[in-house]
Amino acid sequence: MVKSHLILNNVKKYYPIMGGVIRHVKNYVRAVDGVTLEIKRGECLGLVGESGCGKTTLSKTILRLENATDGTIFYLPDNAGNEGKSLEMEKYDILKYRGAKLKNLRKKIQIVFQDPSASLNPRMLVKNIIGEAFDIHRIASGKEKIDRIIELLRSVGLGKDHLMRYPHEFSGGQRQRIAIARALSTNPEFIILDEPTSALDVSVQAQILNLLKDLQQKYNLTYLFITHHLLVVEYISDRIAVMYLGKIVELTKTETLFKRALHPYTIALLSAIPVPDPEKKRRRIVLKGDVPNSVNPPKGCRFHPRCWLADDVCREVEPELSEVEPGHYVACHRVDEVMKQFY
């Protein structure tokens, strides 16, 4: 049985909107609004959705770069087993970590950001960019530190010759390789990949994706891969979670999602993928209207203002993410109608 690595229960992240003469809280931006998710050890979970749906905010909350408004996030070590919701789980709630315990967590969870031009310090040499974590966490120093930096560079397709260069001297793909090497410097177990290929050319994207897959096998890593590119996430992910306006609306295996998506929003996303055959046509679903405001989300199902299947129940009652088929979770009242129309 595959063990859980990260368990999120009803995680919320609200940003206050201040107003008035005395600067009081008038409302909240509900960036992440009740996400429940389980990421298994050694898998790559893809997280997809439109821009502004809360993907990056969720990743920053997991990293503790943002403090969650509510919920729990359990980060389970390899020897923890699956302890369910017992009291023993409380000691793994990273939202309660402080001081040295939080610093130690930083070694285990790392992130690769979307734009390496912005995430790499332009005034630092490559050896200092990658070696910074060695100093902060006192992992290595002197010759041992340099040897390990060179080893990391070689693992991502670079070498010793790149140590004394600045980020602007590299191409976009090479800068992302440096960012990946920096993420690997603390010997992490879990890496968040926040759209790591979206700023790169297509040919370079393929190289980076293959590199990430090789590194996952080599170092036994768990990935959370965030993207809005469905074909990229199909290639690298074992399972996919679809996010809409701060909530997970569908979660299942990658192969199942592309063959038998059951949420209207997911079906609309998949219909936008071009078919590489001029003789074939895909049934195109064009969503009407804009994404609702996360300050005042719609009552009931958040997708109902744009959904062609919405009825009165959808407008009044918010659907829960529930298992409709083995391993396939959907938050929709109209799953039966989706099956009738598409399968």
Side-chain angles (χ1 to χ4, degrees):
M1 183 177 180
V2 180
K3 295 181 179 180
S4 301
H5 203 162
L6 198 74
I7 300 175
L8 289 74
N9 287 326
N10 197 34
V11 175
K12 299 179 181 179
K13 177 57 186 175
Y14 293 175
Y15 295 97
I17 299 174
M18 309 300 290
V21 178
I22 58 173
R23 301 293 294 170
H24 63 282
V25 178
K26 296 182 66 176
N27 209 332
Y28 293 92
V29 176
R30 295 162 175 80
V32 177
D33 197 9
V35 169
T36 297
L37 199 59
E38 179 183 351
I39 303 175
K40 299 175 183 177
R41 183 170 292 274
E43 80 166 338
C44 177
L45 178 71
L47 184 62
V48 302
E50 293 173 279
S51 297
C53 71
K55 304 186 299 296
T56 297
T57 301
L58 181 62
S59 71
K60 289 181 178 179
T61 305
I62 293 172
L63 278 167
R64 290 290 309 276
L65 297 178
E66 299 279 3
N67 290 320
T69 305
D70 195 10
T72 56
I73 301 177
F74 300 118
Y75 183 83
L76 304 180
D78 191 31
N79 59 359
N82 285 317
E83 300 178 63
K85 297 182 179 179
S86 67
L87 293 176
E88 289 294 318
M89 290 284 283
E90 293 299 321
K91 64 184 178 183
Y92 302 126
D93 184 3
I94 64 177
L95 298 182
K96 297 179 180 178
Y97 285 12
R98 299 290 184 274
K101 201 171 183 181
L102 179 59
K103 183 179 179 181
N104 189 52
L105 179 72
R106 306 284 192 206
K107 295 170 62 177
K108 299 177 182 178
I109 306 179
Q110 287 289 318
I111 186 169
V112 177
F113 292 99
Q114 176 178 351
D115 185 3
S117 300
S119 65
L120 300 179
N121 191 329
R123 298 184 179 184
M124 293 176 69
L125 295 169
V126 168
K127 75 178 184 69
N128 296 327
I129 289 173
I130 299 175
E132 190 173 23
F134 288 90
D135 299 331
I136 293 172
H137 296 286
R138 299 179 182 179
I139 298 171
S141 61
K143 185 178 184 300
E144 181 188 357
K145 173 183 168 182
I146 295 299
D147 289 343
R148 292 184 66 173
I149 292 172
I150 294 171
E151 182 184 349
L152 286 169
L153 285 172
R154 286 173 177 164
S155 71
V156 298
L158 300 175
K160 185 177 180 180
D161 295 340
H162 301 104
L163 277 174
M164 304 302 292
R165 297 186 191 179
Y166 291 96
H168 74 270
E169 300 179 72
F170 296 90
S171 66
Q174 288 175 321
R175 282 196 289 266
Q176 197 62 290
R177 289 173 187 267
I178 294 168
I180 294 169
R182 179 179 62 181
L184 293 171
S185 62
T186 61
N187 193 26
E189 301 172 342
F190 186 94
I191 297 182
I192 296 172
L193 303 162
D194 189 2
E195 302 197 35
T197 60
S198 63
L200 307 176
D201 294 335
V202 175
S203 59
V204 180
Q205 285 185 22
Q207 296 173 16
I208 296 298
L209 289 173
N210 287 328
L211 172 64
L212 290 171
K213 292 190 78 169
D214 292 341
L215 291 173
Q216 184 181 20
Q217 293 181 355
K218 181 178 179 180
Y219 296 109
N220 192 27
L221 298 169
T222 304
Y223 286 161
L224 174 61
F225 193 97
I226 298 170
T227 184
H228 57 264
H229 197 311
L230 288 169
L231 294 181
V232 167
V233 81
E234 181 185 18
Y235 176 72
I236 197 169
S237 299
D238 300 300
R239 292 189 301 150
I240 296 177
V242 182
M243 197 168 184
Y244 183 79
L245 207 65
K247 289 184 175 291
I248 302 297
V249 296
E250 187 161 7
L251 171 65
T252 187
K253 292 182 179 178
T254 301
E255 183 181 3
T256 304
L257 189 85
F258 280 83
K259 287 184 177 180
R260 188 178 169 81
L262 295 178
H263 195 283
Y265 175 63
T266 310
I267 292 172
L269 289 180
L270 294 175
S271 75
I273 300 176
V275 180
D277 187 342
E279 301 298 324
K280 294 183 179 180
K281 290 186 178 181
R282 190 190 297 272
R283 180 180 173 183
R284 185 76 170 90
I285 299 173
V286 180
L287 298 177
K288 297 180 180 179
D290 298 323
V291 179
N293 193 337
S294 58
V295 176
N296 294 301
K299 184 181 178 182
C301 176
R302 297 194 170 186
F303 186 61
H304 87 256
R306 307 173 72 193
C307 182
W308 66 97
L309 295 175
D311 60 9
D312 291 340
V313 175
C314 301
R315 298 181 184 94
E316 295 296 329
V317 181
E318 183 176 336
E320 294 184 1
L321 189 68
S322 55
E323 190 172 21
V324 296
E325 293 177 348
H328 196 159
Y329 299 84
V330 185
C332 180
H333 295 299
R334 304 283 284 161
V335 172
D336 292 340
E337 187 61 33
V338 170
M339 292 181 177
K340 288 180 184 178
Q341 286 198 17
F342 294 92
Y343 308 108

